[in-house]
Amino acid sequence: MAAMGPLGGDSYALRCVSDLPPPFRPVFGFRYFNSLQGECFPACYLSDVNMVVSAPTGSGKTALFELCILRLLSRFLTPDWRFSLIYIAPMKALVQEKMRDWTAKLGTLGINCLEMTGDSEFYNKKAIHDSDLILTTPEKFDSMSRNGIRDGGLGFFSDIALVLIDEVHLLNDPRGASLEAVVSRIKMLSRLGHMRSSPLANVRFIAVSATISNAEDIAEWLLAPPEGLKRFGEEMRPVKLTTKVLGYAAAKNDFLFERVRKIPI
C-alpha cells in the first residue's frame, strides 16, 4: 500500500503495525503507520542512526520517538538489561503529557518513567537510577547533570542509550543554551575511554521539530547521516491549511504607513 508523496510524485510506502513484534504492537492504537511514519520506519526501527526530522505539527512525530524506543528495547531484551532514555522538551506541560501517555503505553513493557521538572521534586538518586525513561526540560536536566558530574555521579550517564529531543528549534531561543549544553555534555562523556563498554558510547540522538529551517546544520551537529535527515513539507499536515491574500484600497498618501503619530501624554 502506498500514499502519494510531495507534489503527487514519488509515493511513500505505508507500513503495518503488524510488522513489529507482537509485544510492541499495543503501543500504537492504529493498524497502519501514516506516510511520514512509514517513510521514517527503516531509519527509526531498523537502524541505530542519529536522526533529525522536520515535519508539520500533527503529522505523527511522536510515533517516531516510540519506534526508536522500541528499537532500543528489541536490542536489550535480556534478563540483565540496563539502559536509560532521556526525553527533553521545552515545556513542562509537554513533558507531563508525554509522562501520562508513555507511562500507560510503555509500562507494560517494563519501562519505568520518571518526570523531572520544576513541578516534580519527588525524586532522589535512587529514583533516577531505578528509572528507565526520564522526561525533563533542558534547564532541569542541565542542572541535575552538571551537579551530578561535579559530585562524581557518572554512573547514571553511562546507561544513557537514547536521547529524544522534542521541539529542537529551541536552540534558536535564548533558552537554547541549556539544551546545547546538555547535548554537548552527553557527547563529550560518550567519548571518554572508560565509557567504551557502556550504552553511552553509542548513544543515539533523535531530534524533531516543525519549524527548523537549518535541519542540515542540526544534523551535522548531532552526527546524523544523510539517511537520518528527514524533511517533510505541508503535504504531511493532517488538516490542510489554506492561505489567502486580502487586498485593500490604496491610500491617497503613498507615505501613509511611514507617518508616526505622537500620542499626547
Side-chain angles (χ1 to χ4, degrees), residues 133-169:
L133 172 55
I134 293 178
L135 301 94
T136 184
T137 57
E139 294 82 2
K140 192 67 177 180
F141 193 70
D142 180 29
S143 173
M144 186 276 291
S145 60
R146 190 167 5 95
N147 293 332
I149 292 176
R150 186 182 302 130
D151 297 338
L154 288 178
F156 162 70
F157 275 89
S158 65
D159 294 330
I160 297 177
L162 178 62
V163 179
L164 309 171
I165 307 172
D166 212 344
E167 310 292 352
V168 72
H169 60 267

Side-chain angles (χ1 to χ4, degrees), residues 57-71:
T57 301
S59 55
K61 297 188 291 294
T62 296
L64 305 185
F65 282 155
E66 293 166 349
L67 283 171
C68 293
I69 293 172
L70 296 180
R71 164 68 178 180

Side-chain angles (χ1 to χ4, degrees), residues 69-265:
I69 293 172
L70 296 180
R71 164 68 178 180
L72 189 62
L73 280 176
S74 70
R75 293 174 51 213
F76 286 90
L77 280 180
T78 59
D80 57 345
W81 64 273
R82 179 61 196 164
F83 61 84
S84 295
L85 304 89
I86 309 296
Y87 170 80
I88 304 174
M91 296 177 293
K92 289 184 290 186
L94 189 54
V95 169
Q96 292 164 354
E97 176 189 338
K98 289 293 190 294
M99 176 71 181
R100 292 190 298 268
D101 188 25
W102 285 345
T103 297
K105 285 184 175 182
L106 304 175
T108 56
L109 297 175
I111 298 295
N112 182 26
C113 300
L114 175 67
E115 177 190 342
M116 286 181 56
T117 64
D119 291 345
S120 59
E121 300 294 342
F122 302 102
Y123 56 83
N124 49 38
K125 283 188 177 181
K126 185 179 186 304
I128 293 173
H129 281 272
D130 289 345
S131 63
D132 305 305
L133 172 55
I134 293 178
L135 301 94
T136 184
T137 57
E139 294 82 2
K140 192 67 177 180
F141 193 70
D142 180 29
S143 173
M144 186 276 291
S145 60
R146 190 167 5 95
N147 293 332
I149 292 176
R150 186 182 302 130
D151 297 338
L154 288 178
F156 162 70
F157 275 89
S158 65
D159 294 330
I160 297 177
L162 178 62
V163 179
L164 309 171
I165 307 172
D166 212 344
E167 310 292 352
V168 72
H169 60 267
L170 174 68
L171 285 168
N172 195 40
D173 188 85
R175 299 172 54 205
S178 296
L179 177 58
E180 184 174 357
V182 165
V183 173
S184 298
R185 188 172 299 130
I186 293 173
K187 290 170 64 178
M188 177 196 70
L189 292 173
S190 70
R191 299 189 184 106
L192 295 179
H194 61 277
M195 293 289 184
R196 290 177 183 172
S197 60
S198 68
L200 182 64
N202 299 300
V203 62
R204 185 184 190 188
F205 293 95
I206 310 295
V208 307
S209 176
T211 58
I212 45 176
S213 57
N214 60 334
E216 293 82 2
D217 295 333
I218 297 176
E220 182 179 356
W221 179 52
L222 295 179
L223 304 178
E227 63 270 23
L229 174 59
K230 304 290 185 180
R231 302 188 66 172
F232 301 92
E234 294 299 312
E235 75 280 356
M236 288 297 177
R237 282 191 177 274
V239 178
K240 304 301 179 183
L241 296 183
T242 302
T243 303
K244 295 183 178 180
V245 179
L246 302 178
Y248 62 93
K252 294 181 180 180
N253 183 353
D254 293 337
F255 302 96
L256 181 64
F257 292 106
E258 296 181 9
R259 181 186 303 170
V260 178
R261 290 189 176 184
K262 294 183 178 180
I263 302 176
I265 298 177

Side-chain angles (χ1 to χ4, degrees), residues 12-15 33-42 64:
Y12 296 119
L14 294 185
R15 303 294 295 255
F33 294 106
N34 65 20
S35 300
L36 177 145
Q37 295 157 354
E39 174 69 13
C40 295
F41 186 93
L64 305 185

